[in-house]
């Protein structure tokens, strides 16, 4: 049997400890953020301990190596769901990434699978503020490619209105990503795919009956996990901010199935 090898995309970047800024200052942007999160979205200083973060997003190939270590039932549960979602140009069949797509970021996996992969690598997932600090640097740049200019970021980062809405992200080591590098040297944080983070938020939702009608007086609590960063389907300056934050069911479920294949991850340590 052939020996499965790491594809070289697991390099890490050392992020120094110290003070960094997170959040946004622009009032228009703040008004666009839900009130429940607006308070923690205001630009502010935050102290960080030194940590490391993957230079690239986790690739299909390296995620496949992880799946090979699991029992059949778990591996099936944690496979990328491109075939289930009926993606037009899937990067995965039911059990393997498609030919030539090994070096593309893995997407369409649940939070628990991303956590398990990180543990397998003796790493972890970053929290949302570590992610933002690694992406924005000590000068808190607003967009990817270490810039405050949306126009510059559009020309260097894989976002939809810059690259004609490519339906899938480019390879993490592709020359097209060469310009999307943070001040610390982390690649692909200004576009490509959004990324899972460990930060949690509990929300309450209506409970519906079998016919889809809301049951009065009943609410259910759901724990959501953060994802950070713009992706190849992000459009407009607000959606492309490095401070952009969102939360999702840990299973990665959403009514917009397309979004599930824009969500990947990278590890920290």
């Amino acid at each position: 049997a052939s020996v499965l090898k790491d594809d070289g995309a697991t390099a890490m970047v050392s992020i120094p400890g110290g003070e960094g800024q997170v959040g946004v200052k622009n009032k228009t942007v703040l008004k666009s953020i839900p009130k429940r999160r607006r308070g923690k979205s205001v630009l502010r200083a935050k102290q960080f301990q030194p940590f490391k973060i993957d230079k690239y997003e986790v690739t299909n190939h390296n995620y496949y190596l992880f799946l090979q270590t699991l029992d059949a039932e778990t591996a099936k549960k944690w496979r990328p769901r491109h075939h289930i979602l009926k993606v037009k140009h899937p990067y995965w069949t039911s059990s393997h990434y498609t030919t030539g797509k090994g070096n593309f970021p893995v997407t369409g996996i649940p939070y628990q699978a991303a956590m398990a992969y990180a543990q397998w690598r003796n790493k972890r997932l970053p929290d949302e503020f570590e992610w933002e600090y690694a992406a924005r640097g000590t000068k808190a740049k607003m967009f990817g490619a270490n810039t405050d200019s949306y126009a510059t970021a559009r020309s260097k980062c894989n976002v939809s209105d810059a690259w004609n809405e490519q339906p899938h992200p480019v390879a993490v080591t592709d020359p097209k990503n060469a310009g999307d590098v943070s001040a610390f040297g982390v690649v692909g944080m200004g576009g490509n795919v959004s990324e899972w983070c460990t930060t949690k938020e509990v929300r309450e939702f209506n409970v519906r009956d079998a016919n889809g009608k809301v049951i009065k007086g009943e609410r259910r609590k759901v724990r959501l996990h953060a994802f950070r960063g713009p992706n190849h389907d992000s459009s407009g300056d607000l959606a492309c901010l490095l401070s952009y934050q969102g939360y999702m069911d840990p299973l990665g479920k959403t009514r917009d199935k397309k979004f599930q294949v824009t969500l990947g991850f990278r590890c920290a340590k």
Side-chain angles (χ1 to χ4, degrees):
S2 61
V3 178
L4 294 172
K5 296 182 179 180
D6 187 294
D7 67 2
T10 56
M12 300 194 83
V13 174
S14 295
I15 308 298
E19 184 176 283
Q21 289 190 321
V22 296
V24 293
K25 185 177 181 179
N26 187 288
K27 292 182 179 180
T28 300
V29 176
L30 285 172
K31 287 182 179 179
S32 71
I33 298 172
K35 289 184 179 180
R36 62 178 175 275
R37 294 204 305 268
R38 199 171 294 168
K40 75 171 187 175
S41 299
V42 176
L43 184 70
R44 64 203 182 282
K46 189 174 179 65
Q47 291 293 323
F48 291 92
Q49 295 297 316
F51 66 97
K52 293 182 178 181
I53 194 165
D54 285 350
K55 184 174 183 178
Y56 304 105
E57 297 137 340
V58 173
T59 62
N60 285 324
H61 178 71
N62 279 311
Y63 190 75
Y64 175 75
L65 298 185
F66 163 65
L67 291 179
Q68 297 304 105
T69 70
L70 306 176
D71 62 83
E73 183 177 350
T74 305
K76 183 178 181 180
K77 181 175 66 174
W78 284 351
R79 290 172 189 162
R81 296 189 296 266
H82 293 211
H83 62 297
I84 297 174
L85 297 172
K86 298 181 180 179
V87 178
K88 186 176 181 181
H89 301 293
Y91 284 176
W92 280 76
T93 59
S94 61
S95 60
H96 199 287
Y97 57 85
T98 52
T99 302
K101 298 300 188 288
N103 233 13
F104 282 52
V106 66
T107 61
I109 63 169
Y111 174 83
Q112 291 88 343
M115 284 283 287
Y117 173 93
Q119 292 169 359
W120 175 66
R121 287 287 187 188
N122 293 315
K123 300 179 182 180
R124 59 180 175 82
L125 297 184
D127 68 37
E128 63 173 327
F129 300 117
E130 288 177 323
W131 190 99
E132 185 175 342
Y133 181 49
R136 300 180 69 181
T138 56
K139 295 184 179 180
K141 296 297 183 179
M142 294 173 61
F143 300 101
N146 193 33
T147 183
D148 286 323
S149 166
Y150 174 53
T152 300
R154 284 181 60 197
S155 70
K156 295 184 177 182
C157 304
N158 183 8
V159 291
S160 69
D161 50 357
W163 291 7
N164 300 316
E165 298 188 25
Q166 291 187 19
H168 303 287
V170 299
V172 294
T173 52
D174 191 288
K176 290 181 180 178
N177 258 344
D180 186 3
V181 183
S182 78
F184 291 128
V186 189
V187 177
M189 302 185 93
N192 224 23
V193 295
S194 300
E195 302 173 17
W196 281 118
C197 296
T198 57
T199 309
K200 298 184 289 289
E201 180 174 286
V202 177
R203 293 191 204 166
E204 288 191 354
F205 293 89
N206 290 325
V207 176
R208 298 177 183 274
D209 62 21
N211 297 318
K213 293 183 178 180
V214 174
I215 302 175
K216 291 183 178 180
E218 290 195 30
R219 302 277 285 176
R220 63 186 178 91
K221 291 185 177 181
V222 178
R223 185 187 66 185
L224 306 177
H225 281 274
F227 62 86
R228 296 302 295 264
N231 58 67
H232 61 89
D233 197 49
S234 297
S235 181
D237 56 346
L238 298 184
C240 292
L241 288 167
L242 292 174
S243 55
Y244 178 84
Q245 56 187 184
Y247 287 81
M248 187 180 289
D249 180 286
L251 293 178
K253 293 180 179 178
T254 172
R255 291 180 181 178
D256 182 1
K257 292 183 178 180
K258 180 175 65 173
F259 186 80
Q260 296 183 49
V261 292
T262 65
L263 179 58
F265 70 103
R266 74 178 75 217
C267 303
K269 195 171 185 178

